[in-house]
Amino acid sequence: MRADVVDERTEVVDALREQVRRFCEREVNARDIDAAARIPKAVLEGLGALGVFGVTLPEAYGGAGLRLEDACRLVDELARHDRSVAVSVGLHLGLGTRGLVRYGTAAQHERWLPKLASGEAIAAFSTTEPGAGSDLSSLRTVAKEDGAHLVVDGEKSYVTNGGFAGLFTVAVSTPGLGGAQRGQSLVLVEPTDPGFSVQREEHKLGLKGSSTTGLVFENARLPRERLLGEPGQGPRMLAHILSWGRTLMSAGCCGGAAYCLDKTVAHAQQRTQFGRPLAALDVVKERLALMHARHFAMEALVLATARQQDDEALAVHSLAAKVFCSEGAGWVADEAVQLHGGLGFIEETGVAMVLRDVRVTRIFEGANDVLLTHLGTAELTRRASEGRRHSVSEVEAALDDFALSLHSTHKLRVFRQPRLLHALGAATAWVMASRAATQRAHLTQHPTQLAFAKLVEQQAHAAVARASTPLTDDTLVHAALGLERTGARP
Ligand SMILES: Cc1cc2nc3c(=O)[nH]c(=O)nc-3n(C[C@H](O)[C@H](O)[C@H](O)COP(=O)(O)OP(=O)(O)OC[C@H]3O[C@@H](n4cnc5c(N)ncnc54)[C@H](O)[C@@H]3O)c2cc1C
């Protein structure tokens, strides 16, 4: 992922990125990591020595104080070599440490940031519970005040880096704390805290080298100073932390897609069928162009997202980036398998592993189905207050028409119709990606990039058209009745 706006920090990141690339080529073997289902300690230590774990942490505590955009470029590089490594690092830089950096006290910074910046301690983050996945309002892990302590009870699931983390940022229900009866707060937990334990590693479809564990709190006593930020303000802090997490995760999707793209182009040039290289066949050429264009738009959207300074704008952009990049990475990896033919299905080729690895990106950090509804809601709120805009591109105007027609047909009731909001969210993600791709191509004026941007714009048009003609209620009711009658798939 090349920076499209170059400044003095870009050079620092370029140099670090080059070191990371060389290190990964030497030390990171994705197939071995996949087979062993763990990342060798030497890899994490080596990345720590390069300063990767501290890139976004403050310089005062040993970090490099770089920006979200810079971290995205490093995670993109890592994902080209191994997605498990990229997810472990991305989680540390985003969900794992962002809360501490932004909301932590000076004492909390002193205690943990130096170790987190050097990689001596790796960070984890936990909201999900057995009964609370997409619905974070139903957290059951509860922290109650007991004098100078908080007593925590409950269970958490699927914690990335759980098996080796030195610090966990954990979302808990804190009834009464900070004034709110149903309030939630964030607490900082160390693996040695009494009453706290880390569960066994999960066996997964992909990202096998990354650590994913449950956590158990049984009467765990934490000093009250372990509260992160204001008590009862968990959801507000989570919104910011998740924006960072989703942006970095999207950068990882770009890296995975870039790997597939490079491999597929090389294969299509070298493999001959029907007396010509695959790359000379019309249908193959078109598919390669679409893969390139999608990847170009994914990168453009991630860079545009990472550059947002305003919290609200970052939150909305990160929803679009997360959905667009996770779907894009899955699609590019699937096309890569297809264009490799039988070879694509063979593990040694490498693209099958990416297909497995990126599948979860549509689920974690918020299932896409849920995030699309949030994105649709944000878009509708904005468009309804701004009205129709002048001098926008055709595709933006089509999205305006769609949003405004939803609003005028359903009035405020539309906000209680998740299917419509979901459809609007899907169209919005494409249009935001198209806007980012167009702006990026206009910056460089590179003919190929301008062509990619045009291709993405055409697809965004199709996405808006698709979203504005959803399945009719009649069709869905009919299908749902069939399900009810049989109790299963008819
Ligand atoms: C490998 C891995 C790593 C993870 N790492 C972490 C981590 O580090 N920290 C952490 O806290 N969590 C982590 N998770 C958990 C992850 O964020 C959740 O799995 C995810 O948020 C979905 O929650 P759920 O699994 O409970 O699915 P559910 O909430 O049970 O949803 C299942 C499906 O139902 C659909 N659905 C649900 N609600 C809606 C809705 N309102 N509208 C439309 N469709 C809906 C979606 O298709 C969704 O995928 C990880 C998960 C995995 C697999």
Side-chain angles (χ1 to χ4, degrees), residues 91 95 124-130 132-135 157-161 204 206-207 210-212 360 362-370 373 418 422:
L91 192 294
L95 300 180
F125 165 88
S126 171
T127 54
T128 309
E129 299 182 357
S134 302
D135 177 12
S157 340
Y158 311 135
V159 180
T160 301
N161 292 347
K204 307 188 292 283
L207 287 187
S210 71
S211 164
T212 311
V360 75
R362 282 157 58 193
I363 297 172
F364 66 15
E365 306 216 16
N368 284 9
D369 319 282
V370 180
T373 309
H422 185 277

Side-chain angles (χ1 to χ4, degrees), residues 232-255:
Q233 294 296 312
R236 188 179 56 78
M237 295 186 278
L238 282 178
H240 174 73
I241 297 169
L242 283 165
S243 297
W244 267 59
R246 289 174 181 148
T247 308
L248 285 159
M249 196 216 79
S250 305
C253 289
C254 294

